[in-house]
Amino acid sequence: MSTNNKVRVGFIGLGIMGSSMAGHLLQAGHSLSVYNRSRAKADALVAQGASWCDTPGDVAAASDIVISMVGFPHDVEAIYFGDQGLIARAAPGAILIDMTTSSPLLAQRIAATAAKRGCAALDAPVSGGEIGARDAKLAIMVGGEQAAFDAALPILQKMGANIVLQGAAGAGQHTKMCNQIVIASTIMGVCEGLAYGKRAGLNLDTVLQSIGSGAASGFQLNTFGARIIKGDFEPGFFIEHFIKDLGIALAEAAHMEIDLPGLTLARKLYQQLAEQGYGRRGTQALFKYYEK
C-alpha cells in the first residue's frame, strides 16, 4: 500500500448506501473487487470497471482493504468468520472495515480474531443515509487502533466528510448507537409536530418554512419533514434496519443499566409499523402511525 491509488479495495454489500460508497472508491481510481448477495446490484459497478467476486472470501483474498456494509449483525458474523470468511482469507497486513451498524461486542470479537491473523479491523458505522452516501458526506464513527485508522483514512475520506476515531474496537458502534438514540426521539417529534399542524388545519409547507430555521431545525425536520409533507416515504434507510439498530441500542442500555424511555417507545411504534407492512419503507414513514 505504498500509494493510495494502488490500494486494492474490496466492498461487500451494495445496497442503497453501499453502491454509492463503492462507486466513489472506483471513481477515485482504486482497484475495486465487489460482492453482493444479489449480483444484479453489482452490474453497474462492474460495467464501470469493478471486478466481481463469487464469495466474500474471494473479495478478501484480492484486497488490501476490505469494506463491508451489510444488513444485520448475523450477516456480519457470517462473512467474517469461518474457513472461507474475510478474516481467514485476508492476507496478513490487510485492514478489514465493517461499516454496518452492528453490535459493539461483535466488533471487539472481529478485531481480536483479526489481530491473531496479523490483520487489523475497524468498526466504522456511518450516518447520513442515502443522501450522505451519494454525496460522499457521511459521518463515519470509527473504533480500532490508531495505526489502522491512519492507514485507512484516505479510503474513508472518499466516502465521508466527518471521520472521527472514537476509541478502541467497538467505540464506533457505541457512537452509532448514540446517533440512533437521538434520531429515534427526534423523528417522533418531527412526526408529532407535523401531525399536530395537519390536524390544526395549517399549511405544512409554511409551517416548515418557519420552524425549519428556528430552534427545532435539523436534518430530520428539514429533510424528512419535507418528504413527509410530500407523502414521500421511500427509503433512505429502511424501517426494518432501524428496528435492528434500536434493538442493539436497547440491549446495550440494559447491559449498562440505563433506562431510555424515548428509545423504548420509538422501537414499539416502529415495530407496529413493520407488522403493518411498512418495514421496507423509510424511517419517515413513522408519520403513518400518527395519521391513523
Side-chain angles (χ1 to χ4, degrees):
M1 296 195 292
S2 57
T3 64
N4 290 336
N5 281 340
K6 291 185 179 179
V7 174
R8 300 174 304 157
V9 183
F11 207 106
I12 299 165
L14 303 172
I16 289 176
M17 296 173 65
S19 57
S20 291
M21 295 162 69
H24 294 312
L25 299 173
L26 190 60
Q27 291 164 14
H30 290 285
S31 167
L32 184 69
S33 298
V34 297
Y35 171 82
N36 191 75
R37 284 184 300 188
S38 302
R39 179 167 180 170
K41 291 184 177 180
D43 287 348
L45 289 169
V46 171
Q48 296 171 47
S51 298
W52 169 260
C53 293
D54 289 327
T55 69
D58 290 343
V59 173
S63 306
D64 302 308
I65 292 180
V66 183
I67 298 168
S68 53
M69 185 70 169
V70 294
F72 296 87
H74 63 78
D75 297 317
V76 175
E77 190 164 9
I79 64 174
Y80 273 85
F81 297 103
D83 292 341
Q84 296 301 313
L86 301 187
I87 296 173
R89 297 288 305 281
I95 301 174
L96 310 177
I97 308 174
D98 183 31
M99 303 187 81
T100 313
T101 298
S102 185
S103 159
L105 287 176
L106 179 55
Q108 292 167 2
R109 180 183 164 204
I110 289 171
T113 307
K116 293 177 182 178
R117 293 279 302 178
C119 300
L122 299 172
D123 50 290
V126 305
S127 181
E130 178 186 11
I131 296 171
R134 183 193 66 205
D135 296 341
K137 293 183 178 179
L138 292 167
I140 304 177
M141 322 154 209
V142 188
E145 296 296 327
Q146 183 74 53
F149 174 79
D150 292 342
L153 185 57
I155 299 298
L156 298 176
Q157 287 173 330
K158 300 298 188 297
M159 299 178 287
N162 179 18
I163 305 161
V164 180
L165 180 62
Q166 296 289 340
Q173 297 294 355
H174 276 304
T175 304
K176 181 60 185 289
M177 291 303 106
C178 295
N179 184 80
Q180 302 304 73
I181 291 165
V182 171
I183 288 174
S185 289
T186 302
I187 194 65
M188 282 196 297
V190 169
C191 291
E192 291 185 5
L194 294 179
Y196 176 94
K198 183 176 182 180
R199 186 62 62 90
L202 299 175
N203 180 315
L204 293 185
D205 286 311
T206 61
V207 168
L208 188 59
Q209 183 179 349
S210 291
I211 70 174
S213 61
S217 66
F219 182 85
Q220 296 299 316
L221 177 62
N222 290 321
T223 299
F224 291 114
R227 291 189 183 185
I228 288 169
I229 292 169
K230 294 176 182 176
D232 178 3
F233 301 107
E234 289 304 302
F237 190 67
F238 289 124
I239 282 176
E240 65 183 20
H241 288 168
F242 197 45
I243 292 171
K244 173 262 297 183
D245 296 352
L246 303 189
I248 294 171
L250 282 168
E252 292 294 331
H255 179 71
M256 295 184 287
E257 299 182 344
I258 177 174
D259 183 31
L260 302 175
L263 180 63
T264 301
L265 177 58
R267 186 176 69 160
K268 176 183 176 181
L269 299 184
Y270 274 114
Q271 284 176 326
Q272 290 180 23
L273 284 176
E275 290 167 2
Q276 294 167 18
Y278 291 101
R280 301 289 288 181
R281 307 305 293 273
T283 52
Q284 73 274 20
L286 181 63
F287 190 71
K288 291 290 185 181
Y289 173 85
Y290 296 95
E291 282 190 319
K292 292 185 299 184

